[in-house]
Amino acid sequence: MRVAVTGCCHGELDKIYETLALAERRGGGPADLLLCCGDFQAVRNEADLRCMAVPPKYRHMQSFYRYYCGEKKAPVLTVFIGGNHEASNHLQELPYGGWVAPNIYYLGYAGVVKFRGVRIGGISGIFKSHDYRKGHYECPPYDQNSVRSVYHVRNIEVFKLKQLKQPIDIFLSHDWPRSIYHYGNKKQLLQTKSFFRQEVENNTLGSPAASELLHHLKPTYWFSAHLHVKFAAFMKHQANDGQLPKVTKFLALDKCLPHRDFLQIIEIQHDLSGPDYLEYDLEWLTILKATNSLVNVSRGSWTMPENNGLHAKWDYSATEEAMKEVLEEMNHDLKVPCNFSVTAVCYDPSKPQKHMELVHRISPQTTEFCAQLGLTDINNRIQQVIEESSLRGDYDEEVDSNGSGEEPSEYNTDNSVLSSSINPDEIMLDEDDEGEDSITGLHSDIRTPSVEPSSEHHPPDFSTSFSDIRILPDSMVVSSDDTMNSTNELEKSSENQESEGKNLNEKPFKRLSDETGNGNHLQKKIKRRNQAIYSAEDDSNVE
């Protein structure tokens, strides 16, 4: 099965699909599945645009709305997770996952699905310690705190994923698992991204929660984005009970820009008898049902059950009996229903609505899913809390969102914004920038010069200027530039992978352009980063 993986999408769906079509024309056949590792930006209209945690000048409508309204359809089944630059109000409608457009599926806050027998799991958002132990309390219209905290990973999602016992084939996260850089070519990484050096040396780069999941799940493949650089690693886990040690092949990819390594195509073994459609994962459904009582929409800190003498129950893993019961509740049909429906007004270029009202919506997909399994609809619970609090007159009480006064997280460092260095490729949420408007307020006076579709700013053959697309066999062969050189074992593993690739006669595509430079962006001013995607019509209007 040919699986295409992309890094930060930044709303450039047209460009990604064009590049896949180009890869198909180059040979090898079409991709069967596309996986996106966050910053997808499923923006339907101007209200969604205001819910993206980026300064106003970086808000662009991009092309997703054309897929949402049915003008276009994704040419390949697309599965994605959320990052830290998303239309959070849209994704929040689907906490357990669902279709954001025909043939485009969001995994939810955390989720596991199957396609052709391949188990695909993922967790959305990025890690931030001061929000990690909170519930999912945010809802639109967001303020300057909640527009960020809404995409921060919560401990309940990690807890649910740690209940999984059956093997995971592919796992997606937006930020990297902490310490993964020690299993790849760290020297080359720091040559490319020198500003990561202090975090790498201090072992604070990446998400500790994702690292915990990596050690627990031990998936065959782990894909990430966020740091806007391609990086491969080969991690051999400790063996248990005399069994052979499991291995995780990690790959992070760049953002969707010309001459950047943002797309990879991998040959993955699959179940030949597996259905050619997306399926719910039975073990995951059972875990969702078992942990339903833990659903929390509180802003306060709370801990997950553990075997410390303080909790009557701490094991919520799926038993065979429980899975049989869930299967019966699903009528022995695990096919994900194609029940997408338009829930918001779609952007109309001829009738822009810069002050469109923000509404906290309950998705019919989520309602149907929760009703079938007897789960709590998180958004419905949030609305109940708001109504009850409004009657008491205490909902508008200011809540400290910066972590002061709270019990410390089990993880003592953050990585969502690198504390001692600045990644010139990443959008910085400067207080000065965000102070220009109320971000998502009902009547915020925002300047959105970028609501025009960005596709008009690129030539039709944009995809032909993208960097090389490599086609990898199921062993996930990586080039000598990508493989690690830190230990003899890892070197041997790389050599074995290279020989496997030669036997399969798989060769990477040549660079699709004669241009070779991709480091000039590091010399640009911080205010100009990500310009190719996020450039405004008139930057002079924004300080």
Side-chain angles (χ1 to χ4, degrees):
M1 181 171 73
R2 290 168 60 82
V3 177
V5 186
T6 183
C8 295
C9 178
H10 290 308
E12 295 282 11
L13 271 179
D14 284 350
K15 309 309 172 191
I16 291 173
Y17 292 141
E18 287 170 12
T19 308
L20 280 177
L22 177 63
E24 181 180 353
R25 292 196 297 271
R26 287 287 188 95
D32 300 294
L33 178 68
L34 172 65
L35 303 176
C36 300
C37 299
D39 283 358
F40 186 81
Q41 298 181 4
V43 178
R44 303 166 294 187
N45 52 44
E46 292 90 339
D48 288 357
L49 203 62
R50 300 206 306 274
C51 292
M52 282 202 337
V54 298
K57 68 177 181 179
Y58 295 127
R59 294 177 183 146
H60 289 255
M61 191 58 64
Q62 302 293 29
S63 58
F64 171 79
Y65 75 94
R66 300 182 188 276
Y67 297 85
Y68 179 76
C69 70
E71 179 183 337
K72 293 185 174 183
K73 183 178 179 181
V76 58
L77 175 61
T78 302
V79 176
F80 74 98
I81 56 169
N84 59 316
H85 300 306
E86 302 286 3
S88 297
N89 63 320
H90 185 191
L91 299 190
Q92 193 174 0
E93 294 177 20
L94 301 165
Y96 300 108
W99 303 102
V100 298
N103 222 28
I104 304 178
Y105 190 85
Y106 168 55
L107 273 181
Y109 290 138
V112 183
V113 293
K114 282 184 178 181
F115 180 67
R116 295 185 179 176
V118 176
R119 294 187 84 201
I120 303 164
I123 187 165
S124 293
I126 60 173
F127 176 80
K128 195 76 169 177
S129 64
H130 62 249
D131 287 322
Y132 183 68
R133 295 173 61 217
K134 295 180 181 179
H136 291 290
Y137 68 88
E138 300 89 350
C139 71
Y142 306 115
D143 60 27
Q144 291 192 14
N145 289 323
S146 60
V147 75
R148 303 186 194 189
S149 65
V150 68
Y151 56 73
H152 291 160
V153 171
R154 305 300 158 89
N155 58 356
I156 187 172
E157 312 305 341
V158 175
F159 180 81
K160 291 175 184 176
L161 289 166
K162 287 181 66 178
Q163 305 307 306
L164 291 167
K165 305 298 183 184
Q166 299 173 6
I168 291 287
D169 299 302
I170 298 173
F171 197 84
L172 310 176
S173 69
H174 188 59
D175 44 2
W176 298 15
R178 181 166 296 176
S179 302
I180 193 64
Y181 32 82
H182 294 310
Y183 297 88
N185 194 332
K186 186 166 53 178
K187 178 179 179 181
Q188 185 184 55
L189 173 65
L190 295 180
Q191 287 176 345
T192 306
K193 301 283 186 178
S194 59
F195 34 83
F196 292 160
R197 181 171 298 277
Q198 183 172 343
E199 283 72 30
V200 169
E201 291 177 351
N202 295 337
N203 200 32
T204 57
L205 179 65
S207 166
S211 181
E212 184 177 345
L213 287 174
L214 172 60
H215 286 277
H216 176 81
L217 298 174
K218 302 178 178 64
T220 305
Y221 299 92
W222 186 300
F223 302 120
S224 297
H226 191 46
L227 297 185
H228 298 162
V229 62
K230 181 181 179 181
F231 178 77
F234 186 87
M235 181 178 182
K236 181 179 289 186
H237 300 275
Q238 291 184 347
N240 294 323
D241 302 326
Q243 298 178 349
L244 292 176
K246 293 185 177 181
V247 169
T248 295
K249 301 162 187 176
F250 173 84
L251 182 66
L253 291 165
D254 209 331
K255 59 184 175 181
C256 181
L257 280 178
H259 317 300
R260 304 289 280 267
D261 291 317
F262 73 92
L263 185 68
Q264 197 94 17
I265 299 178
I266 301 169
E267 295 286 348
I268 293 181
Q269 293 182 353
H270 68 285
D271 183 356
L272 297 178
S273 62
D276 196 22
Y277 51 77
L278 207 59
E279 291 182 288
Y280 292 122
D281 182 82
L282 181 57
E283 184 186 21
W284 178 248
L285 294 183
T286 308
I287 290 169
L288 287 180
K289 192 172 179 65
T291 56
N292 187 60
S293 61
L294 302 178
V295 170
N296 190 333
V297 296
S298 160
R299 304 185 187 206
S301 297
W302 61 306
T303 57
M304 291 292 100
E306 54 182 309
N307 187 11
N308 57 4
L310 300 178
H311 302 95
K313 181 178 181 180
W314 58 88
D315 184 356
Y316 289 80
S317 57
T319 64
E320 289 294 332
E321 182 179 355
M323 285 192 287
K324 289 180 181 179
E325 292 177 359
V326 170
L327 189 58
E328 290 180 1
E329 292 178 6
M330 300 296 292
N331 297 318
H332 294 266
D333 182 10
L334 295 177
K335 180 180 180 180
V336 176
C338 297
N339 57 352
F340 166 76
S341 62
V342 173
T343 57
V345 175
C346 190
Y347 171 67
D348 185 349
S350 65
K351 299 177 182 179
Q353 302 181 50
K354 293 185 178 180
H355 301 288
M356 181 179 291
E357 182 181 4
L358 277 169
V359 180
H360 182 212
R361 291 185 172 86
I362 305 250
S363 168
Q365 289 187 67
T366 303
T367 300
E368 180 181 336
F369 180 78
C370 291
Q372 190 166 13
L373 283 174
L375 302 180
T376 298
D377 187 331
I378 296 175
N379 290 301
N380 191 34
R381 174 71 66 84
I382 290 174
Q383 288 196 358
Q384 291 176 1
V385 171
I386 291 174
E387 292 171 1
E388 293 170 0
S389 300
S390 297
L391 292 176
R392 296 195 303 267
D394 61 357
Y395 185 75
D396 293 330
E397 177 182 318
E398 288 294 325
V399 177
D400 182 3
S401 182
N402 61 13
S404 61
E406 295 182 355
E407 296 180 23
S409 165
E410 53 262 54
Y411 304 118
N412 58 12
T413 50
D414 295 335
N415 78 297
S416 55
V417 177
L418 302 180
S419 57
S420 61
S421 61
I422 296 177
N423 181 354
D425 276 341
E426 176 65 0
I427 300 171
M428 300 300 291
L429 302 182
D430 300 323
E431 295 300 327
D432 290 341
D433 285 330
E434 290 199 299
E436 291 171 2
D437 57 61
S438 61
I439 298 182
T440 58
L442 183 60
H443 302 292
S444 59
D445 181 19
I446 66 169
R447 292 179 296 232
T448 316
S450 53
V451 294
E452 295 298 325
S454 66
S455 59
E456 295 176 7
H457 302 296
H458 298 299
D461 61 345
F462 183 83
S463 63
T464 61
S465 65
F466 277 82
S467 61
D468 59 301
I469 311 160
R470 294 180 181 174
I471 312 299
L472 301 180
D474 64 339
S475 60
M476 193 168 163
V477 174
V478 291
S479 71
S480 59
D481 292 336
D482 300 324
T483 52
M484 59 294 309
N485 56 9
S486 55
T487 67
N488 290 334
E489 280 189 350
L490 297 180
E491 285 179 344
K492 291 178 181 178
S493 298
S494 282
E495 292 170 0
N496 291 338
Q497 289 176 357
E498 290 175 0
S499 63
E500 289 175 17
K502 291 177 182 177
N503 292 337
L504 290 172
N505 295 319
E506 293 283 358
K507 296 182 179 179
F509 280 119
K510 295 182 179 179
R511 177 171 288 279
L512 305 180
S513 169
D514 292 331
E515 297 184 34
T516 57
N518 66 355
N520 293 334
H521 62 283
L522 297 178
Q523 301 173 7
K524 296 181 180 179
K525 295 181 180 179
I526 297 300
K527 291 291 183 180
R528 306 295 291 178
R529 61 187 165 274
N530 282 342
Q531 181 178 351
I533 289 182
Y534 292 102
S535 57
E537 290 180 3
D538 185 3
D539 279 353
S540 63
N541 290 334
V542 183
E543 296 181 358

